[in-house]
Amino acid sequence: MGAMTTCANFTFLAGWAKIPYDAQGRTIKWKHPTTKRRRQEQTEARLAERYRREAAHRKTSHGQLANQIIAQGPTIKTEKLSYKAFQKQFGRSIWSGPRSCF
C-alpha cells in the first residue's frame, strides 16, 4: 500500500481517495470516498461521449424517417398503440429507447 497521512478525520493513501476515519482510526459508517480516480473519470467521460453520440444519431435517424413519411402524403393514419403492452414486453425501458422517441 501507499504512504498514509491523516488530516481532520480523513486518511489519505498515496494516489487514493479520501477515506473517512474517526479519532480512533476506525472507518465512519455510511461515509464513502469523496474523490474519483483519474481512470474512473476518463471512463465516465468516454461513456458519456458514446451515449451522446448514440442519442444524436438516433435523433437524426428519426428525423430522416419522419421526413420520409411526411413526403408520402398529406394525411398520416396510425394504429392505436398500447404502451402497457409495450411495457409488458420491454419493461420500463420503453420510455428511454427508440420505441418512444419517434
Side-chain angles (χ1 to χ4, degrees), residues 28-65:
I28 300 174
K29 280 189 175 182
W30 311 114
K31 295 286 186 175
H32 297 283
T34 55
T35 57
K36 293 181 181 179
R37 310 290 192 276
R38 181 173 41 96
R39 178 68 68 169
Q40 183 179 359
E41 288 179 354
Q42 289 173 351
T43 302
E44 288 177 357
R46 193 166 50 244
L47 193 60
E49 175 66 15
R50 279 189 187 168
Y51 286 148
R52 184 196 65 77
R53 291 184 69 193
E54 182 180 316
H57 177 71
R58 187 169 49 243
K59 187 175 181 180
T60 303
S61 297
H62 287 175
Q64 289 175 351
L65 184 58

Side-chain angles (χ1 to χ4, degrees), residues 54-96:
E54 182 180 316
H57 177 71
R58 187 169 49 243
K59 187 175 181 180
T60 303
S61 297
H62 287 175
Q64 289 175 351
L65 184 58
N67 287 335
Q68 289 174 359
I69 292 172
I70 290 171
Q72 295 294 320
T75 306
I76 300 169
K77 293 185 178 181
T78 61
E79 60 182 324
K80 274 186 122 175
L81 296 176
S82 170
Y83 282 100
K84 286 195 173 190
F86 275 143
Q87 281 181 339
K88 285 180 183 177
Q89 189 172 5
F90 298 107
R92 290 181 62 180
S93 66
I94 182 70
W95 298 108
S96 64

